[in-house]
Amino acid sequence: MSNKVKKLLTARFGVVSPDSIEDYIKNGGYASLKKALGMDPEAIITEVKASGLRGRGGAGFPTGIKMESVRRATGSPKYVVCNADEGEPGNFKDRYLMEKDPHQLLEGMIISAFAAGADYGAIFVRGEYINSIKILDNAIKQARKAGFLGKNILGTGFDFEMDVYSGAGSYVCGEEFALLAALEGKPARSTFKPPFPTTEGLNGKPTQINNVETFANIPHIIDMGGAAYAALGTEASTGTKLISLSGNVNHPGLYEVTYDITLREIIEELGGGVPGGRAVKMVQLGGPSGPIIPPSLLDLKIDANEMRKYNLSIASGAIIVIDDRADALDILVRIMEFFHHESCGKCTPCREGLGQVLGLLDKFVDGTATEADLKLLRNLLDVMSQASLCGLGQAAPTAIKTILQYFGDELCGRIGAAKEVK
Amino acid sequence: MEVKEVLDKYGNSPGRLLGAMLEYQRSKPQNYLTKEDIQAFAKETGLPVSRVYSLVTFYSLFSEVPRGRYIIQVCRDVPCHVNGSVNVVAELEGLLGIKMGQTTEDGMFTLEYTSCIGCCEMAPAMQIGETVYGNLTPEKIASIIGELRRAGK
Ligand code: FES
């Protein structure tokens, strides 16, 4: 078990003060940057590709390929953007990464910028994370003073600057096109795609957008080499994964693990199981936009190949444990209220669909739902996931769909319930 | 804090406007932006008033109505929900004598919901100003409110 807990990204947590660049350097920090600046940018991309690193924000796109696309894209300036809009409920890994070891993120971004040929970096942090913003602001100032940012970095002729940008309360900013709109000082509404950010991103220029955890991995890949990094994981999922464990568990918190660990090991061994000797009823993966699965699936390893068999993925690494006191319908209403509140309102399936879904769920709650309502609900969910403009509306139906799949009775059993009471 | 001052600090660019307006709003005792504030931001940045106003209405951390000195934001997303965020709300409503969304008569506290504040490992959690409070119990809530009441007098 303990061999499935691996501290790579979290190794310096609690060891370095987040306010001290000296601490970071003393503990091996910025050594990877020095090494990278002595390499050919193409060689860095080769290492990142060899590492097998995939985006840690949820979508899992290969990072090396993204980097390469930006390098190959025509247009200047080029940008690297860090998506630190960690608004998906149940996720807190990025907050830890920013607040416990901010320079690790900066180092990853500077190396990525050098590889992708970018001139400027932006870290977009959600407005609620006031503390993260302060810590990053300070870290950037220190890095600038130490010569890791600015003109002619470490005498190599490489120029790169970066700044922190604050959001102001909007979940949809986590979607990369909406995030780019926010970075340009507009309401965060997504747009039609393609083009993708690697060719037309921030201000219409080539942009490499990655999650905080993804960037934080880069210095380690440079340090140990792509092959050694890949060897840490499984064939399909390399490196380590940060897990945000929450809900009804004895020891909620942040855990860094390798991909051969099972969901059950995370919940029972790391998390100490459910309080009060109660049982797990269901587990939601990734956050409200993720699937809700039954305890029978907990022996799955979090590795992509194994999870894919059940159409699942560990996504951003949030694991929300819900114990046997919960009512599936009550949880669904809470999740759908969340999406309804956060929908940006641009496209009809999402904006109108979520309101209609809530109306239908209400009927199940008060026992007036009919078979026809169930059919309508299923139809509506399909329309939303197929026709919504961005990931918010596309993923919002996942929770209900998986409840219908694994806990169908909890909903179907409510059909016509009001009549029986009479 | 003046509009110009905060914009200078943030570097006057559209992308940094959200952060600047938030900090400005936090510096005001009633935690909201007036029509005059919005016009001032538009004038200083050279952006149309409609554009600045669209940010205020789109992003949920802005307010157009006066609020209390302390904004209590209670999280009710699933990790907090299954750890009893309803009880936190009930406790706060009882202590303050107001309902969700309201402000106490003395202008000290406003009670709001927030989306997850990334402290799910300390559920149930709430945020007041820049401070996050987790693992909330009735006793803890009472002592936090008591302390703020004394500090705010
Ligand atoms: S769900 Fe409440 S802080 Fe994350």
Side-chain angles (χ1 to χ4, degrees):
Chain A
M1 177 66 235
S2 56
N3 60 348
K4 296 175 187 169
V5 174
K6 166 91 190 147
K7 289 195 172 178
L8 190 67
L9 273 58
T10 56
R12 275 181 293 252
F13 283 19
V15 176
V16 299
S17 154
D19 301 323
S20 163
I21 191 170
E22 292 82 19
D23 270 14
Y24 182 68
I25 293 172
K26 244 185 273 162
N27 286 277
Y30 289 112
S32 294
L33 175 64
K34 286 180 193 154
K35 184 173 170 188
L37 292 182
M39 290 166 71
D40 183 47
E42 297 284 351
I44 297 175
I45 293 173
T46 307
E47 288 303 323
V48 175
K49 277 180 162 176
S51 76
L53 176 65
R54 284 173 175 269
R56 299 294 198 238
F61 191 81
T63 309
I65 293 182
K66 218 184 241 186
M67 233 177 211
E68 187 171 50
S69 311
V70 175
R71 176 151 197 93
R72 302 262 184 279
T74 49
S76 81
K78 292 179 181 176
Y79 300 106
V80 287
V81 169
C82 175
N83 184 346
D85 189 72
E86 186 175 51
E88 182 85 20
N91 288 272
F92 43 86
K93 67 184 177 74
D94 295 341
R95 181 171 64 80
Y96 272 84
L97 286 169
M98 294 186 281
E99 295 183 4
K100 301 261 180 206
D101 196 2
H103 285 285
Q104 176 173 251
L105 167 62
L106 302 196
E107 187 173 4
M109 286 182 73
I110 304 169
I111 296 171
S112 300
F114 180 66
D119 316 81
Y120 183 74
I123 309 177
F124 186 87
V125 187
R126 62 190 299 228
E128 289 85 350
Y129 280 11
I130 304 170
N131 206 18
S132 306
I133 292 174
K134 282 189 183 159
I135 290 173
L136 286 171
D137 258 332
N138 179 52
I140 289 178
K141 281 198 191 100
Q142 294 178 336
R144 207 173 274 146
K145 232 175 125 197
F148 299 127
L149 283 173
K151 291 252 174 266
N152 192 17
I153 295 172
L154 299 173
T156 58
F158 171 54
D159 301 340
F160 180 68
E161 257 306 335
M162 66 161 90
D163 288 296
V164 180
Y165 292 75
S166 166
S170 164
Y171 163 79
V172 73
C173 282
E175 201 269 343
E176 57 186 14
F177 291 86
L179 183 144
L180 291 173
L183 267 180
E184 291 167 8
K186 298 172 191 157
R189 293 197 178 95
S190 191
T191 174
F192 292 100
K193 53 216 79 155
F196 289 101
T198 46
T199 51
E200 284 179 46
L202 185 58
N203 303 321
K205 301 294 180 190
T207 304
Q208 182 191 336
I209 306 186
N210 281 117
N211 169 263
V212 176
E213 185 182 350
T214 314
F215 280 122
N217 270 291
I218 301 288
H220 301 283
I221 292 171
I222 297 302
D223 174 44
M224 57 173 52
Y229 178 92
L232 283 177
T234 59
E235 206 187 317
S237 309
T238 60
T240 63
K241 183 76 198 88
L242 295 185
I243 299 291
S244 308
L245 180 63
S246 70
N248 301 125
V249 273
N250 278 312
H251 309 298
L254 186 77
Y255 298 95
E256 186 170 11
V257 299
T258 48
Y259 283 90
D260 52 351
I261 197 167
T262 66
L263 293 166
R264 192 181 304 283
E265 284 170 326
I266 293 172
I267 293 167
E268 287 176 5
E269 294 178 39
L270 301 179
V274 180
R278 288 184 303 267
V280 176
K281 174 165 180 175
M282 45 197 173
V283 172
Q284 189 166 31
L285 300 175
S289 64
I292 298 181
I293 61 169
S296 60
L297 291 182
L298 293 184
D299 291 310
L300 286 176
K301 293 195 173 90
I302 65 169
D303 156 73
N305 274 350
E306 187 150 331
M307 302 269 296
R308 199 175 297 130
K309 287 184 215 151
Y310 291 86
N311 204 10
L312 304 170
S313 100
I314 193 62
S316 59
I319 298 181
I320 304 167
V321 181
I322 301 166
D323 74 26
D324 54 10
R325 293 169 303 175
D327 170 16
L329 201 48
D330 171 60
I331 301 284
L332 283 183
V333 169
R334 191 69 277 292
I335 291 172
M336 289 303 136
E337 280 173 351
F338 167 80
F339 283 119
H340 189 230
H341 176 254
E342 296 294 347
S343 173
C344 85
K346 181 165 172 171
C347 75
T348 316
C350 176
R351 181 189 64 239
E352 301 302 324
L354 285 162
Q356 298 296 327
V357 166
L358 276 171
L360 285 168
L361 286 181
D362 263 352
K363 287 182 151 188
F364 284 91
V365 171
D366 63 24
T368 56
T370 61
E371 285 293 343
D373 290 320
L374 181 63
K375 206 169 150 217
L376 187 60
L377 178 65
R378 286 186 195 270
N379 266 337
L380 188 54
L381 296 176
D382 283 338
V383 169
M384 286 178 62
S385 37
Q386 285 166 31
S388 293
L389 182 59
C390 86
L392 192 154
Q394 290 161 9
T398 309
I400 307 188
K401 283 186 173 175
T402 46
I403 288 277
L404 283 169
Q405 180 179 353
Y406 297 115
F407 303 89
D409 284 353
E410 299 237 356
L411 243 70
C412 303
R414 306 280 306 158
I415 290 175
K419 270 185 251 132
E420 291 160 26
V421 180
K422 253 187 259 164
Chain B
M1 186 172 255
E2 295 295 320
V3 166
K4 204 175 158 346
E5 196 185 320
V6 73
L7 280 172
D8 282 346
K9 179 178 163 193
Y10 276 79
N12 194 340
S13 84
R16 303 272 277 170
L17 188 55
L18 290 177
M21 293 201 321
L22 266 189
E23 179 161 346
Y24 177 79
Q25 178 177 276
R26 272 200 298 271
S27 77
K28 301 195 23 170
Q30 288 185 298
N31 274 299
Y32 81 116
L33 296 172
T34 62
K35 207 166 129 194
E36 289 71 31
D37 292 331
I38 294 168
Q39 282 165 344
F41 273 105
K43 191 164 161 252
E44 290 296 334
T45 54
L47 293 169
V49 176
S50 59
R51 166 87 173 267
V52 178
Y53 187 60
S54 74
L55 301 178
V56 175
T57 55
F58 184 87
Y59 291 97
S60 65
L61 295 182
F62 295 119
S63 175
E64 291 179 80
V65 290
R67 293 184 291 178
R69 174 154 178 183
Y70 298 110
I71 316 242
I72 306 175
Q73 295 179 300
V74 185
C75 171
R76 56 163 169 173
D77 285 321
V78 171
C80 283
H81 181 71
V82 299
N83 277 295
S85 54
V86 250
N87 305 334
V88 173
V89 173
E91 194 64 31
L92 284 165
E93 287 183 337
L95 270 174
L96 301 172
I98 53 172
K99 290 275 162 219
M100 257 300 156
Q102 296 178 336
T103 300
T104 53
E105 236 160 62
D106 60 1
M108 191 82 88
F109 298 102
T110 297
L111 206 46
E112 290 180 356
Y113 282 119
T114 174
S115 294
C116 170
I117 42 180
C119 296
C120 337
E121 82 282 26
M122 318 182 239
M126 65 181 183
Q127 183 159 355
I128 306 179
E130 304 193 3
T131 316
V132 170
Y133 303 89
N135 298 318
L136 296 170
T137 58
E139 299 74 43
K140 222 167 165 176
I141 294 170
S143 98
I144 293 164
I145 297 301
E147 246 166 62
L148 289 176
R149 262 203 186 117
R150 278 191 297 279
K153 279 239 166 78

